[in-house]
Structures are given as C-alpha cells and as structure tokens.
Amino acid sequence: MEDGGSLGDLVVAARDRAFVGRAAERAMFRSALAGDPHGSPVLYLHGPGGIGKSTLLRRFALEAREAGRLVVEIDGRTVPATPDDFEQAAGKAIGEPGSVLLVDAFEHCQGLEHWLWEHFLPRLPLGTVAVVAARSAPDPRWVADPGWADLMDVVPLRNLARGDAATFLRVRGVPDGAHHALLSFTGGNPLALSLAAAVVVRQDADGTARAADWSPGRDVIATLLPRLVGDPPSPAHRTALEVCAQADVTSEALLRAMMGERAPELFAWLRTQPFIESTAAGLFPHDVVREVLAADLRWRDPDGFAALRRRMYEYLLGRVREASAAQMLQAMQALVYLHRTIGHLAQAFEWHSHGLVRELPCTPADERRVVELVHETEGPESAALARFWLDRQPEAFVVYRSTGTDDIVAFSAWLQLAGPEGEDVDPVVAAAWAHVRTAEPLRAGERVAVARFHVNPQAYQRPSAAMNLIQWRVIGEIIRSDDLAWSFVVMRDDGFWNDYLRRSDMLPTDARPVVGDHGYRLFAHDWRTRPALAWMVEKNKALLAGAGIDVGPGTHAAAAGESAPSPSGGTPREGADYVVLSRSRFDSAVRDALRALWWPNELAANPLSRSRLVAAHGQSLHDVLLRAIDTVPAERGGEKRYRVVTTTYSRAAPTQEAVARRLGMSFSTYRRHLTAAVKRVSDVLWSHELSGEPMMSAGRDLTPDRWDGQPLDGPGPG
C-alpha cells in the first residue's frame, strides 16, 4: 500500500475491478452528467433486493467524483423519514450547482415520495444530477406528470445479461465448469452470483466439492431469502409465493385452485412485489427468487413441497384437457414446466428457447414450404409422402414460424386413422398397422394416431424450440383423446430418443421401415391398458420419487381424499393396468360373468374384472353386471327379457329348462328371450367399455327370484 492510502481505497479499487455490465444505465448517467440535452437530470432506478442498485450507485459516485463533481449520498435505511432530516442530509446538493445526489433504499422513506417530487427535487439547481433507487417503481402520477416527463427516466434494473454474468464469475475466480450451474440457479442476480461464487471458490480451493456439481446450500438460501423476498405478511402470502415459484406463470385461477377464495387478494399482492414480473398469461418471479423459494420449501417442509407439486400437477393436467385447441400448447407448457429440473425431462427439452417459435395451423399457402422442408431433411421419397398426407389430412399438419422472421422453420403431423388408410403408400404407416394387428387389433370406435413427421432442418429431431412444441403437441393430443387405442411416434433410427421414449412408455417396435435413404423407428403405446390421465399421474409420481421428493402413498389427489379425473369423468385407480379384449372375447367374458353372477371367486377370475369398464371406476363386476341387466326393460319387449335373465342368473336356478317351466314358456321361446337379453347386456357393457363412461344404476330392484329348495353350489344355468 502506498503512503497516504487507506483500506477504503483498496475496497474501492476491488469493487471497480469486479464491476461488470449495466452499460445502458451507465450511458444514461453519463449523458446526464455531461449535460446532454437528450439526457434526463433525474434517474429513478427500481428493482428487487439483490439486483445491484447499491452497487450501481457506488459506480455512479466513482464516475462523478472522477468528473470533479460533488457527490452527496443518502441511505434511506439510516436517514429518518422526515422532510427535515432528509433535507439536512442532502443540503449540500441544494447549495452547490453541478452536484450529484444519490439516494439509495428510498423504499424506507416511501412516505416522503410526494414531498420529494413536489418540494425537494424542484429546488435542486440546474446542472444537478439526482439518482433515486428503490425496490418499487415510483407512483404512476409522477411518471404521467407532464412537468416531469422530459426531466426523469424510470429505469427498472434487471438481472445481469448472461454474458455479463459469466464475466462476473470469471472475475471472481469461479471455475468454468461451475458457470452453468451458477447461472442456472441465479439467473444473473448479482447478489446471488456473489454469494454462490464465494461458496464455489472456497469449495474448489478446499477440494470439498466438485464445482460442476454445485447446488445452493443452506447458508446461501438463508442469506438470500430475506434479502430477495422480505417477510411476507402471513403464511397465506408465503404459500402464494411458493405457488408462484413452482408455476411457469401464475394466474388468479391457479391461485384459486391452490388456495381458495383468498386468491384475488393474494394475486393482487403478488403483482405489486418488485421481484414479480407480469405477462399476458399471468405472473412469474425472477429466476433466483423462484429457485430460492423452491429450495427453502423443499428443505423446510418436504411433505408440503411434495403436496404442493402434486396438487399443481393435477390442476394443470386438468387444464390440458379443458383448454381450447388454441390454448392447448400453453397449457402443456405449464404442465411440463413443473418437471424442468427432474430426471430425463431436464435434458429432453430446450428450456431456454421459449418464445422463439409459434405454432399455427398449416394453411394451403404453407403446404409448398412444408414439402420443401421434408425434401431438404429427409429426401424426395419422404416429400412425396408428406404431399400424400397433406392431400388427405391437411388438418393433421401444423407449422412453426420464427417469431423474429415469421418464416416457417419446422412442421409436424398428427395423423388420426380409423382404418388402414395409406398403408399401401407409406411404409411407416404400414408398419404401424402391422404392429396393431399383431398385438391387439382395433375395436369398433377406436383409432390409431401416428406422430408422422418431426421436421426442423436447423436442429433435425434434436432438442430445440420447435421440437419442444412438437413434443408437447403429441402429449397434449394423447391427454385430450377419448377414443385413442394406439399412438405411434416415428423418429430417425439413430437411437437419440430411445431412452427418453422408453422412459415415457413409448416402446420400440420390431419394425424398422426405410424411406429413401433413411431408416426410421416406430415407438408404440396401447392406451387402452391404462387411460392417459392415470398414466400421466403415475409418471409424475415416478419422476418426483426419482428426484427424491416423497409423494406419499397415493399417486394423485386420492391421497388427500380427492380424485383426479379420467378422460371419461371417472377416477382411475392407482396403478390400474387394464385388460383389452376384442369384441368376441368380450362377449364370451360377459356370458361367463353372468353365469358366475353370485359367485365372487368366479367373477374375480373373469377378465372383465380388469377391464376399463370395471377397474376405472372403483366398481365391482357384480354391480356393473346388475346395472347392465337393469337396462334390459328399456327395449321393446324388455320386461319379459328382464324376467328371463334375472331368473336364469339367480342364485338358485337349477337348469335353463326349469327356468323356462317356471316362467311358463316353451324352451325355444325362453332361449330366444335369453339370447336377446344377454346380447342387450353385452352391447351396453361394450358401449361403456369403449367410451369409458361408468355404468349407472336406474334404481330397479335387482334382487333375483329365489327357488324353493336349496341353492346350488356352483354358478347358475348356462
């Protein structure tokens, strides 16, 4: 240290070396300092705690002193919030033209705001520069005041740009391998960067942790949380913050689903917080606030964290089902966002590319460009197939336009097929139909969907902004479908997506169709064995458990006494794997079940007990059969058939011949009525199996007739 120096000089020099970024704000200050007629003599900086307001004011002070200006600094945390005390602290600025007044932490003097604008600032001499920094923006009346319009700039301070934040880390000596982890956690927040950098540098020097594996510890979280969010007014306000931290964007509707009727009040409070931003879709917190709140809740109350994540997932899953077609992708993004840091999904999507492309229906004017994109990436043979499907299912195609240029940069197609259309033309679709026939064929009213094209020349079938939307559309279409039997995803046969699709239960088929110079792989899922919503809930549980988040014994809201909706309005059983039967096997199972109607062990072994008809709604096969029998009288002549079927399948009916005699019918007439009644029962049950709607009772007395004598030990007459 040179003679005459001080520790303060070293502190200033170190801060100067560490300062990065804020080029736009510094340019505005220099313009005001130079008396530029286009500059504003009053700057109002606002932003949340830790965003760097004090650091920037110190930089302004250094530059002002280097320019020979008198600098007057006021800290709102130490000056009593009265006009006399404030004016006494700032008195030199009033008395000397050309001075620079820097007011930090003005939120502690918020009661002086009217006095500041009306009485104090107007008294500053011409040539004075004033900078006021606070957590909140100024009252809108001062921004709208024509008297101040040309004299004041209101500047919201944001996080450091990614490049500036990386420079900050290099200046602090953070190893390059840790940059990604720190930038992801902090989002460029200067305070969080400083704390995290100090921890990583210390750990790297001590050899106590690998920098690339860094995550914020309790010391970092405990320091940041009060600085960033302060002390919420009540536990409900803190919970609202925690909801906002988990969600992609928070709407009042989401808050209502999570917190009930206080949602409007809590939403209004959230939007006033300096660390909360607004979009057309709702509110979201700064990145580091999001991460700190989530980390704190998970450490402080792991059960509450898991419950919150589970409830939010169920609500957002329902939104995917209910949203309009135009809003489906937005709803999917909100759902998938909950898993942005979990397991294989963290690598499956390009999480920092939101807003780069937008999805639109493919119009006739777009079709030429679609064919060109296929030709460019997959060759002329695939281009011809795209043209084939565009002519037959133009509604299946969507395009992705760059938000910057509006050019079509990608497209996808979701083909929906009720029959073997196109299998004589398209080898990929032919392979899909061959798999369906070999595995479990379609039943009446069911269909197959094929995600046929995923074309993006800039990043062909690799994570990208367009590929995000393509994948979300596929998942959304599956969730929203009620009659989907099979779905197929078609990818280039290079293995890149194999693990991700396997983890998503999209299993590779044996077929490897070739189109032109390229081989493709089909990944298939039979949705009849488990409804999409039940599958999504189970996958959510598995992902959370894999991330060390204990979701408790239930897979969904049933653990809290609630039920997640199935595609048909029922409640999917936890872990339900359904048996899928062809119509002939289904009819045979119905006949066997009727014969075993009053014998529980026989019914339990019947495949209908594991069908969606029964298992999806928490009903017994016995009750489902009785409710189907209850519909027989609705047909013409149904009352007689109803008596035939209920008597035949009573506990004590010995033989069909005996039933016919008791009913006073010839055996042929009896058999005709019984056949018609059984067909009616089977038709009704089949209809409900396909639709997924639960069987409901019409309230008739279904107690079967009893015979004199002892019941038989086995099933009733066949």
Side-chain angles (χ1 to χ4, degrees):
M1 184 186 303
E2 297 181 2
D3 292 340
S6 68
L7 289 177
D9 295 332
L10 295 180
V11 171
V12 170
R15 286 172 173 169
D16 184 45
R17 289 193 301 272
F19 188 90
V20 298
R22 306 303 189 200
E25 292 83 359
R26 292 169 66 188
M28 296 173 69
F29 178 72
R30 289 169 179 169
S31 176
L33 206 60
D36 187 332
H38 298 293
S40 299
V42 178
L43 300 181
Y44 193 105
L45 309 175
H46 66 91
I51 203 66
K53 299 183 296 295
S54 299
T55 299
L56 184 56
L57 288 185
R58 283 196 295 266
R59 185 70 183 189
F60 288 169
L62 179 63
E63 294 188 11
R65 290 189 178 102
E66 289 176 347
R69 297 293 191 94
L70 170 68
V71 177
V72 179
E73 297 177 87
I74 299 177
D75 189 334
R77 289 163 292 203
T78 60
V79 174
T82 68
D84 289 343
D85 289 301
F86 190 96
E87 187 165 329
Q88 182 178 354
K92 290 183 179 180
I94 296 176
E96 183 170 336
S99 60
V100 174
L101 174 65
L102 304 175
V103 182
D104 196 7
F106 185 69
E107 67 272 8
H108 293 277
C109 304
Q110 208 68 46
L112 297 179
E113 185 172 16
H114 178 83
W115 172 83
L116 181 78
W117 295 104
E118 285 289 336
H119 301 288
F120 180 78
L121 291 179
R123 294 163 53 201
L124 293 177
L126 292 178
T128 301
V129 176
V131 183
V132 180
R135 291 200 172 194
S136 301
D139 191 304
R141 79 179 98 169
W142 308 120
V143 180
D145 188 335
W148 285 106
D150 296 329
L151 301 175
M152 173 179 64
D153 279 326
V154 177
V155 183
L157 275 192
R158 309 293 186 188
N159 289 337
L160 292 175
R162 196 168 184 85
D164 291 334
T167 300
F168 179 97
L169 295 178
R170 284 193 293 271
V171 169
R172 295 296 182 94
V174 175
D176 289 346
H179 284 196
H180 177 74
L182 267 66
L183 293 174
S184 297
F185 166 66
T186 66
N189 179 276
L191 174 62
L193 280 170
S194 297
L195 290 173
V199 172
V200 169
V201 169
R202 182 178 68 250
Q203 290 176 338
D204 189 61
D206 295 344
T208 57
R210 283 171 39 198
D213 295 336
W214 181 88
S215 61
R218 286 304 313 149
D219 53 346
V220 174
I221 299 300
T223 302
L224 285 174
L225 192 60
R227 292 285 301 276
L228 295 176
V229 304
D231 187 16
S234 73
H237 289 80
R238 179 171 290 278
T239 301
L241 279 175
E242 290 161 352
V243 170
C244 196
Q246 299 295 322
D248 181 20
V249 291
T250 298
S251 64
E252 192 172 303
L254 173 60
L255 271 187
R256 185 177 298 107
M258 296 298 104
M259 306 194 65
E261 294 309 312
R262 290 192 66 183
E265 168 202 347
L266 296 170
F267 187 82
W269 175 79
L270 280 175
R271 70 192 307 179
T272 66
Q273 301 309 299
F275 49 83
I276 298 290
E277 303 282 349
S278 298
T279 70
L283 308 175
F284 67 93
H286 292 179
D287 290 344
V288 70
V289 173
R290 186 190 294 281
E291 299 297 337
V292 166
L293 282 167
D296 178 69
L297 177 61
R298 186 172 178 179
W299 169 80
R300 177 171 47 83
D301 183 7
D303 291 343
F305 179 83
L308 180 63
R309 289 291 292 264
R310 184 178 64 242
R311 291 172 57 214
M312 289 182 67
Y313 188 86
E314 291 155 11
Y315 169 77
L316 294 172
L317 183 60
R319 287 290 304 132
V320 174
R321 284 280 298 181
E322 299 161 6
S324 66
Q327 295 297 315
M328 188 265 278
L329 272 188
Q330 181 179 323
M332 269 305 306
Q333 177 183 329
L335 179 69
V336 175
Y337 186 82
L338 287 177
H339 293 154
R340 69 193 182 283
T341 61
I342 297 179
H344 65 290
L345 293 183
Q347 287 77 46
F349 302 110
E350 184 58 60
W351 295 104
H352 299 291
S353 63
H354 176 59
L356 296 181
V357 296
R358 58 195 179 103
E359 184 191 272
L360 294 168
C362 180
T363 68
D366 299 332
E367 292 181 2
R368 178 178 177 181
R369 180 56 181 157
V370 164
V371 175
E372 289 175 350
L373 291 177
V374 187
H375 194 286
E376 179 181 341
T377 55
E378 298 184 353
E381 295 85 358
S382 276
L385 294 177
R387 182 70 268 172
F388 172 84
W389 289 113
L390 278 166
D391 291 340
R392 284 154 183 79
Q393 289 195 30
E395 71 283 357
F397 287 74
V398 292
V399 298
Y400 301 93
R401 290 184 176 272
S402 165
T403 54
T405 65
D406 204 41
D407 294 334
I408 297 175
V409 296
F411 80 92
S412 65
W414 178 252
L415 303 178
Q416 300 188 66
L417 308 169
E421 177 184 2
E423 68 173 339
D424 57 337
V425 176
D426 188 342
V428 170
V429 171
W433 279 113
H435 181 82
V436 169
R437 294 189 188 100
T438 302
E440 197 64 60
L442 289 192
R443 306 174 301 187
E446 296 178 337
R447 59 187 174 85
V448 167
V450 182
R452 177 62 183 89
F453 295 101
H454 308 81
V455 175
N456 176 15
Q458 293 297 317
Y460 182 73
Q461 293 191 359
R462 293 297 184 265
S464 65
M467 197 63 180
N468 284 357
L469 301 188
I470 291 171
Q471 293 186 77
W472 297 346
R473 169 154 294 283
V474 169
I475 300 169
E477 293 286 1
I478 290 170
I479 292 172
R480 292 160 68 89
S481 175
D482 290 331
D483 57 357
L484 182 61
W486 286 94
S487 67
F488 292 88
V489 173
V490 184
M491 306 299 288
R492 184 74 59 82
D493 192 12
D494 58 12
F496 182 85
W497 290 102
N498 288 18
D499 184 62
Y500 167 75
L501 290 169
R502 177 183 60 80
R503 290 170 180 263
S504 302
D505 293 341
M506 295 294 298
L507 302 181
T509 68
D510 293 333
R512 282 183 159 92
V514 175
V515 179
D517 296 330
H518 302 293
Y520 297 87
R521 194 74 185 268
L522 272 72
F523 299 83
H525 189 103
D526 184 348
W527 294 102
R528 298 167 298 183
T529 62
R530 179 178 298 183
L533 287 192
W535 176 83
M536 291 288 289
V537 165
E538 186 69 18
K539 283 298 173 185
N540 178 55
K541 177 188 178 183
L543 281 168
L544 295 180
I549 302 171
D550 183 6
V551 294
T555 62
H556 46 45
E562 302 170 4
S563 298
S566 76
S568 59
T571 304
R573 289 193 319 177
E574 176 179 340
D577 287 307
Y578 303 145
V579 169
V580 178
L581 302 173
S582 65
R583 181 63 198 264
S584 61
R585 291 175 59 199
F586 187 92
D587 289 343
S588 176
V590 170
R591 292 191 293 270
D592 290 342
L594 287 170
R595 285 192 287 267
L597 183 62
W598 299 99
W599 284 264
N601 290 339
E602 295 278 345
L603 285 182
N606 190 290
L608 289 181
S609 293
R610 301 185 304 281
S611 68
R612 179 169 70 160
L613 169 72
V614 175
H617 308 294
Q619 301 175 350
S620 68
L621 177 55
H622 175 270
D623 289 343
V624 168
L625 289 168
L626 291 183
R627 289 169 181 172
I629 291 171
D630 192 25
T631 69
V632 173
E635 288 189 309
R636 184 177 179 182
E639 288 291 345
K640 188 174 293 185
R641 293 171 188 166
Y642 178 77
R643 286 196 301 117
V644 166
V645 74
T646 54
T647 306
T648 299
Y649 297 116
S650 69
R651 284 191 179 93
T655 64
Q656 290 190 354
E657 289 81 358
V659 174
R661 286 195 300 272
R662 177 176 182 181
L663 295 174
M665 297 179 182
S666 68
F667 189 66
S668 61
T669 300
Y670 160 81
R671 288 289 297 172
R672 186 176 72 253
H673 286 310
L674 179 62
T675 299
V678 171
K679 182 178 184 303
R680 166 68 178 182
V681 169
S682 194
D683 286 347
V684 168
L685 293 176
W686 179 251
S687 173
H688 283 266
E689 167 72 4
L690 294 183
S691 71
E693 293 292 334
M695 282 295 310
M696 304 301 293
S697 173
R700 293 177 64 95
D701 181 6
L702 299 180
T703 303
D705 294 333
R706 293 190 59 84
W707 289 74
D708 295 331
Q710 299 299 315
L712 299 180
D713 293 332

